Amino acid sequence: MQLKQPNPILIETPRMNLIGYSVEEISYIFEKFEKSDIMKVLGHRNEADFQSELSKHQNGYATYNRSFLMFLLCDKPTQQVIGRCGLHNWNKEHKRAEIGYSMSDERFKQKGLMSEAVAAIIHYGFHTLQLNRIEALVGSENVASLKIIESQNFIKEGVLRDHYAVGDGYEDSIAFSLLRREYFE
């Protein structure tokens, strides 16, 4: 069945197509599509992926002054969704957002694809969205993610102690930022 889909943003990188959806487009997908079509469009690999996304949708992706823009990372040869990267906690009034990302397919890790996606999203954030600041909160034990953020010239601002739950304990987050003026230097 061919469904009418929202008109997502498309960013092309050398090895991927990044397909971006806004809060409104994700809501449209959940309201108009059948579950199997939602899973296909959003690249859910299993029921747990679908339920996680459904929970976010039902509980509200955005608040009155925050929004998000989620990009599905699609491998060019197969068009398979291999991960996500996006801007969340996007405060339009103050021109800032937090970048977040995850690779859902293990076969595509450690190939530089996430660095490629993050660079493209940063470029889009500063050029198209006219952001002044992009923030990143990275788990202190997440070595791969720390390398990605540092490779994009983010500046470390501090540590948020016991910031999020991991198993039976808590892990610190390291706060980073990249300012528009630093990006264009």
Side-chain angles (χ1 to χ4, degrees), residues 11-166:
I11 299 174
E12 191 173 343
T13 72
R15 298 179 287 169
M16 293 175 292
N17 288 319
L18 311 182
I19 302 170
Y21 291 103
S22 67
V23 172
E24 296 79 18
E25 291 165 330
I26 295 288
S27 292
Y28 176 87
I29 290 168
F30 271 99
E31 291 165 11
K32 303 293 184 186
F33 290 21
E34 297 294 324
K35 179 180 175 180
S36 61
D37 294 319
I38 293 169
M39 291 179 75
K40 182 177 179 184
V41 168
L42 297 181
H44 298 145
R45 298 178 183 285
N46 52 47
E47 182 66 20
D49 287 353
F50 172 79
Q51 290 300 326
S52 175
E53 194 85 45
L54 178 62
S55 176
K56 291 174 192 174
H57 167 69
Q58 290 172 334
N59 291 308
Y61 281 105
T63 61
Y64 78 98
N65 69 344
R66 299 278 194 282
S67 192
F68 82 93
L69 190 56
M70 174 187 67
F71 288 86
L72 302 176
L73 311 182
C74 299
D75 176 53
K76 275 188 179 176
T78 64
Q79 281 307 297
Q80 175 187 358
V81 176
I82 59 172
R84 294 168 181 230
C85 184
L87 298 167
H88 56 278
N89 289 329
W90 175 16
N91 186 310
K92 294 178 183 181
E93 178 184 359
H94 297 293
K95 298 185 178 187
R96 70 174 182 252
E98 182 181 338
I99 195 163
Y101 43 87
S102 66
M103 188 65 74
S104 55
D105 191 321
E106 294 290 324
R107 297 172 300 158
F108 292 89
K109 288 186 175 182
Q110 298 183 345
K111 298 183 184 301
L113 290 164
M114 193 56 75
S115 292
E116 189 175 307
V118 167
I121 300 301
I122 291 168
H123 179 85
Y124 186 84
F126 287 132
H127 284 274
T128 304
L129 301 179
Q130 296 297 303
L131 294 175
N132 179 60
R133 175 184 170 94
I134 298 176
E135 303 167 346
L137 298 175
V138 181
S140 59
E141 303 299 317
N142 190 340
V143 175
S145 190
L146 289 167
K147 286 181 181 178
I148 290 169
I149 289 302
E150 290 168 354
S151 75
Q152 299 300 319
N153 299 315
F154 276 69
I155 304 297
K156 180 180 175 182
E157 293 187 332
V159 176
L160 304 173
R161 299 176 307 135
D162 284 357
H163 190 237
Y164 63 95
V166 177

